[in-house]
């Protein structure tokens, strides 16, 4: 019998086992079942238990009971018993699913990238081992004590007001934004924000300018929505806006990571920010600004966000606490132009209703008490030190293979291959020794990027980074030697 049924009463377990045999075709229509006394003796149960199972099967129409003859599998018109479950499930798994065009596009995108938390150099993962859990737990207890059972009910789909106010205050002060609580929409992630923008602001077939190279999450959201992504080259000053201005075919939006361009780390120059704002106003296009890890800037003070410079309200500002606090918090947000607040809020109710209330209220207290700012400042120092350590170790041990491009901020460092190893060979070699690298070439939409990989450093101590870099150097050396033979 199925182990999942072990907690059921005996008669229910027997009834389900027989029913499954009938559905799988192991017991064909008209086949006689054992007499209740015989089956009871065989199973070591009472006859009443078997009678109860047979009675339920009869009530459901799976068996017929004939006075003086016994019990038989019923004839079920319109139903053809299938193969055994294991064979049937295997066949179904291998079938091409009958998906919609948008569903097929989402499936082809591959979804979110697998996060291998135990492996060094996974990009985009913050340090969580030093997070102030006792403080967070105390604030959560305060929330539950004061809100009581109200915290267990459905929340405001736009987000809890205390958190929306805390977010607005934070981005105004730290990022130079123009935000108010009524313009903030709390979501579960920046990826959800991208999906909402792609589906609410553009139609399938519409054009959107994207950075080249580009953040894979944004590209997948836009592809899944059926948009035509137009890659625009990125240099050391960010996206090359001249290509947008001179494009013969206009687009309805542009997607940017201006604080630390993903994956190059470049900061978008102020004159380019202003030019994009004027372009969006002239053509009534949208600027989708993903400010995914702007808290962690290591060289000087970061430039104000595009949204704060945009007096025309054509910029949608996206932020997340996944990088600044911890991934499982599942809270992101978007600061919207006033005219988009209501339609975006309605749209998110169709996706997941609302974000978890208790986590929102706890985060609001964490921010109101100054703990968020203190945590970010502390981690900024930690990450800056780890970046410095990684840079030195890469230059010392990996210089025969790569050239490091030290970013001004963020949680990962790009490295460009300078040897004759292929990107795939390098990544596979790293994976074999328990190291996770993200290839650079696949992030270039136009397919013209240099081969290399990203090395996430935030979640690993200097000692862990040193061990991993040496292990990676040994793995690459081994592959290079094999290649020469």
């Amino acid at each position: 019998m199925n182990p999942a049924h072990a907690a059921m009463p005996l008669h229910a377990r027997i009834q389900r086992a027989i029913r499954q045999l009938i559905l799988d075709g192991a017991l064909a229509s008209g086949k006689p079942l054992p007499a209740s006394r015989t089956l009871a003796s065989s199973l070591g149960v009472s006859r009443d238990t078997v009678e109860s199972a047979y009675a339920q099967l009869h009530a459901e129409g799976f068996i017929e009971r004939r006075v003086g003859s016994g019990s038989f599998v019923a004839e079920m018109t319109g139903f053809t018993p299938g193969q055994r479950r294991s064979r049937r499930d295997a066949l179904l798994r291998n079938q091409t699913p009958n998906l919609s065009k948008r569903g097929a596009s989402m499936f082809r995108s591959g979804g979110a990238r697998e996060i291998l938390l135990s492996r060094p150099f996974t990009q985009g993962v913050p340090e969580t081992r030093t997070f102030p859990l006792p403080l967070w737990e105390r604030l959560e207890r305060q929330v539950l004590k004061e809100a009581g059972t109200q915290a267990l009910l459905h929340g405001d789909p736009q987000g809890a007001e205390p958190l929306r106010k805390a977010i607005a205050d934070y981005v105004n002060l730290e990022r130079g934004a123009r935000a108010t609580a009524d313009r903030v929409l709390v979501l579960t992630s920046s990826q959800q924000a991208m999906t909402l923008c792609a589906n609410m602001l553009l139609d399938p077939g519409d054009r959107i300018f994207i950075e080249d190279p580009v953040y894979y999450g944004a590209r997948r959201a836009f592809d899944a929505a059926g948009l035509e992504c137009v890659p625009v080259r990125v240099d050391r000053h960010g996206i090359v806006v001249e290509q947008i201005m001179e494009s013969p075919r206009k687009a309805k939006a542009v997607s940017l990571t201006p604080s630390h361009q993903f994956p190059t780390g470049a900061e978008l120059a102020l004159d380019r920010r202003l030019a994009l704002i004027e372009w969006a106003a002239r053509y009534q296009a949208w600027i989708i600004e993903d400010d995914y890890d702007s808290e962690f800037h290591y060289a000087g003070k970061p430039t104000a966000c595009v949204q704060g410079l945009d007096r025309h309200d054509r910029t949608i500002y996206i932020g997340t606490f996944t990088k600044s606090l911890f991934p499982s918090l599942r809270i992101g947000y978007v600061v919207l132009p006033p005219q988009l607040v209501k339609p975006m809020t309605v749209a998110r109710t169709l996706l997941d209703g609302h974000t978890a209330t208790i986590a929102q209220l706890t985060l609001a207290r964490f921010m109101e008490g100054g703990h968020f700012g203190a945590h970010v400042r502390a981690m900024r120092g930690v990450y800056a030190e780890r970046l410095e350590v990684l840079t030195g170790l890469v230059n010392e041990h990996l210089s025969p293979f790569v050239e490091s491009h030290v970013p001004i901020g963020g949680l990962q460092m790009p490295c460009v291959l300078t040897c004759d190893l292929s990107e795939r060979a390098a990544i596979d070699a790293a994976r074999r020794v328990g190291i996770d690298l993200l290839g650079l070439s696949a992030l270039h939409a136009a397919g013209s990027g240099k081969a290399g990989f990203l090395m996430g450093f935030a979640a690993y101590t200097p000692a862990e980074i040193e061990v991993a870099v040496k292990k990676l150097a040994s793995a690459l050396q081994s592959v290079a030697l094999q290649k020469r033979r």
Side-chain angles (χ1 to χ4, degrees), residues 126 260 292-299 323-325 375-381 383 408-411:
H260 307 130
Y292 64 101
D293 62 4
S294 62
E295 291 87 1
F296 305 117
H297 196 89
Y298 312 125
K323 305 288 191 296
S324 53
L325 294 179
H375 179 71
V376 165
R377 286 191 294 274
M379 299 316 294
R380 188 182 296 136
Y383 296 162
I408 58 172
L411 307 182

Side-chain angles (χ1 to χ4, degrees), residues 391-404 415-419 469 473 476-477:
T391 302
L393 288 168
V394 167
N395 292 340
E396 180 181 355
H397 298 285
L398 296 178
S399 56
F401 307 102
V402 300
E403 176 186 320
S404 62
C415 293
V416 175
L417 283 165
T418 55
C419 61
V469 167
L476 295 180
Q477 183 67 43

Side-chain angles (χ1 to χ4, degrees), residues 99-108 223-224 226:
L99 302 176
S100 67
K101 290 180 180 178
R102 179 165 286 175
S105 179
M106 293 173 70
F107 181 57
R108 284 194 303 271
D223 284 344

Side-chain angles (χ1 to χ4, degrees), residues 401-459:
F401 307 102
V402 300
E403 176 186 320
S404 62
H405 291 187
V406 184
I408 58 172
L411 307 182
Q412 52 274 325
M413 181 174 75
C415 293
V416 175
L417 283 165
T418 55
C419 61
D420 59 354
L421 284 182
S422 70
E423 182 180 284
R424 184 73 264 163
I427 291 172
D428 288 345
R431 186 172 284 260
R432 284 194 293 271
V433 295
I435 291 173
D436 183 41
L437 302 174
L438 176 65
L440 290 177
S441 61
L443 304 177
H444 287 263
S448 57
K450 294 181 179 178
F453 45 76
L454 278 179
M455 302 181 76
F457 56 83

Side-chain angles (χ1 to χ4, degrees), residues 95-373:
Q95 280 183 3
T96 302
N98 186 22
L99 302 176
S100 67
K101 290 180 180 178
R102 179 165 286 175
S105 179
M106 293 173 70
F107 181 57
R108 284 194 303 271
S109 77
R113 184 170 177 268
E114 178 187 10
I115 299 296
L116 303 171
L117 295 179
S118 61
R119 294 187 169 188
F121 305 137
T122 299
Q123 66 82 30
V125 181
E127 176 61 84
T128 57
R129 290 169 290 187
T130 58
F131 184 78
L133 268 179
L135 170 61
W136 186 271
E137 291 171 351
R138 176 166 59 82
L139 295 176
E140 188 175 69
R141 285 196 299 272
Q142 289 177 9
V143 165
L144 290 171
K145 184 177 180 180
E146 294 181 19
T149 56
Q150 282 295 119
L152 309 181
L153 301 176
H154 288 286
D156 183 343
Q158 190 176 341
E161 186 174 4
L163 179 57
R164 289 190 282 114
K165 186 177 186 306
I167 289 171
D169 290 345
Y170 170 73
V171 296
N172 288 341
L173 179 64
E174 297 293 336
R175 299 297 300 119
R178 299 164 57 249
T180 54
D182 60 351
R183 292 178 62 172
V184 174
L185 172 61
V186 179
L187 301 169
T188 54
S189 65
S190 58
Q191 191 66 34
Q192 186 182 46
M194 292 286 183
T195 299
L196 278 173
C197 289
N199 288 282
M200 291 296 290
L201 304 179
L202 298 97
D203 292 311
D206 282 347
R207 303 174 87 234
I208 180 170
F209 290 121
I210 61 171
E211 297 168 323
D212 188 24
V214 64
Y215 170 54
Y216 52 86
R219 179 65 188 269
R220 287 170 179 172
F222 302 148
D223 284 344
L227 308 184
E228 180 187 346
C229 294
V230 181
V232 180
R233 184 171 60 86
V234 169
D235 63 19
R236 62 192 183 94
H237 298 298
I239 194 168
V240 179
V241 297
E242 288 80 8
Q243 287 185 232
I244 294 175
M245 309 301 176
E246 296 168 2
S247 174
R249 294 178 59 203
K250 301 307 175 186
K252 287 190 175 181
V254 59
S255 175
L256 303 169
T257 51
S259 294
H260 307 130
Q261 199 278 330
F262 188 94
T264 66
E267 183 179 32
L268 185 61
L270 178 59
D271 60 336
R272 297 187 182 187
R273 294 175 186 234
L274 297 174
L276 282 173
I277 288 169
E278 293 307 312
W279 167 82
R282 185 181 310 119
Y283 295 105
Q284 290 298 285
W286 298 106
I287 299 172
I288 302 172
E289 178 180 16
D290 182 6
D291 212 32
Y292 64 101
D293 62 4
S294 62
E295 291 87 1
F296 305 117
H297 196 89
Y298 312 125
K301 192 166 178 63
T303 305
C305 66
V306 174
Q307 191 269 354
L309 301 171
D310 182 6
R311 67 185 187 278
H312 306 292
D313 281 329
R314 303 301 304 178
T315 303
I316 294 127
Y317 178 91
I318 298 171
T320 178
F321 295 99
T322 297
K323 305 288 191 296
S324 53
L325 294 179
F326 51 94
S328 69
L329 182 58
R330 306 313 302 148
I331 295 182
Y333 60 92
V334 57
V335 180
L336 296 164
Q339 68 271 31
L340 291 183
V341 173
K342 189 170 182 179
M344 286 285 201
T345 302
V346 170
R348 83 76 48 98
T349 64
L350 299 176
L351 297 178
D352 63 354
H354 63 96
T355 305
T357 302
I358 296 172
Q360 287 189 75
L361 295 177
T362 304
L363 176 56
R365 294 200 171 215
F366 193 74
M367 298 180 77
E368 292 163 356
H371 308 300
F372 177 71

